[in-house]
Each structure stands twice: as structure tokens, then as C-alpha cells.
């Protein structure tokens, strides 16, 4: 089995490949909602209404459609970074150490330059 390692320095040059691309869910927990809404100086209710949508019992961050892709609404394409980086959701903080990627890191490594397989 391959071992997955990650070099966060690669994020500076990849133009947010994990924040753009195919549409997907960017799950936020209750504690993520508290942190991000405080960071944005919004009440949790206003933050949810403006930036999230409900899928079943969970919330996901809205996406915006550009020419070819979908991008997380918090992705800043002028500066190529996450505009809420210090309080980004746990899902984003823990990338790429997700169970499904750990099981099959080669596929993810084919597009994420930060993933190093040993
Ligand atoms: S919250 Fe930030 S790190 Fe997470 S997908 Fe959106 S732009 Fe990327």
C-alpha cells in the first residue's frame, strides 16, 4: 500500500485545484459555521442564508459557476487563495487526508501537485 504525504507549499502554485473544478460538496459543521460567521462578522443565520445551502441534514458552501468550472464561493480567483483560509472548514483543513483519498491516493495525486506518494 502507498503512503500519502502532502507538501502544502504546492498550494501556492496550483491555482486552487481543490477549490475549483467539478461541482461538489464543501461540508461545514456547526463549529465551522460559528468560526466562519464570526470571522465574517455575520450572525450564524445570516451566514447560512448567504453562503450555504442545505443538503439533507447538512450544510454545504455555495459554489459559483465560471467559464468551465464550479468554484467555492470563498475562492478568491484574483489572488488565487481561500478568502477565509484561517477559518476554512474542517473538510478543507484535513485535505488530502480523507479516508477515500488515503485508500486510493494515486488518483488524487494525478491532479494535486502537493500529494507525494511513497
Ligand atoms: S473554503 Fe476555502 S479552502 Fe475550502 S473549498 Fe472554499 S476556497 Fe477552498
Amino acid at each position: 500500500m502507498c503512503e500519502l504525504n502532502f507538501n502544502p507549499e504546492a498550494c501556492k502554485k496550483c491555482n486552487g485545484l481543490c477549490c475549483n473544478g467539478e461541482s461538489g460538496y464543501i461540508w461545514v459543521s456547526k463549529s465551522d459555521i460559528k468560526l466562519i460567521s464570526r470571522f465574517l462578522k455575520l450572525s450564524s443565520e445570516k451566514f447560512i442564508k448567504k453562503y450555504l445551502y442545505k443538503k439533507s441534514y447538512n450544510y454545504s458552501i455555495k459554489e459559483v459557476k465560471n467559464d468551465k468550472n464550479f468554484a467555492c464561493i470563498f475562492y478568491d480567483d484574483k489572488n488565487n487563495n481561500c478568502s477565509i483560509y484561517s477559518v476554512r472548514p474542517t473538510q478543507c483543513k484535513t485535505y488530502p487526508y480523507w479516508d477515500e483519498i488515503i485508500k486510493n491516493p494515486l488518483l488524487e495525486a494525478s491532479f494535486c501537485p502537493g500529494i507525494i506518494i511513497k
Side-chain angles (χ1 to χ4, degrees):
M1 195 166 144
C2 345
E3 189 190 326
L4 184 156
N5 285 285
F6 184 63
N7 172 18
E9 285 298 303
C11 302
K12 292 177 185 161
K13 294 183 220 141
C14 90
N15 296 335
L17 288 172
C18 59
C19 309
N20 296 279
E22 287 179 27
S23 181
Y25 299 117
I26 309 157
W27 301 117
V28 285
S29 65
K30 279 185 187 163
S31 56
D32 292 327
I33 290 172
K34 257 192 198 167
L35 269 176
I36 303 168
S37 54
R38 198 177 302 152
F39 178 82
L40 296 173
K41 298 183 173 42
L42 292 173
S43 66
S44 296
E45 293 73 24
K46 280 191 179 158
F47 167 68
I48 289 169
K49 198 168 176 197
K50 191 166 181 188
Y51 294 109
L52 306 182
Y53 67 95
K54 205 163 191 185
K55 178 75 184 170
S56 190
Y57 294 105
N58 299 304
Y59 285 105
S60 178
I61 295 178
K62 290 178 183 171
E63 296 172 301
V64 285
K65 193 167 178 350
N66 53 36
D67 298 346
K68 302 172 254 173
N69 289 321
F70 289 86
C72 172
I73 200 164
F74 291 116
Y75 189 72
D76 174 356
D77 57 355
K78 286 193 190 89
N79 295 306
N80 288 327
N81 61 25
C82 170
S83 61
I84 57 163
Y85 188 78
S86 62
V87 291
R88 67 200 184 284
T90 305
Q91 174 178 323
C92 307
K93 285 181 183 153
T94 56
Y95 178 86
Y97 297 102
W98 301 347
D99 287 348
E100 63 270 31
I101 298 176
I102 290 168
K103 278 184 206 145
N104 184 12
L106 289 172
L107 180 65
E108 197 75 6
S110 65
F111 84 90
C112 174
I115 294 179
I116 301 153
I117 309 282
K118 287 187 182 165

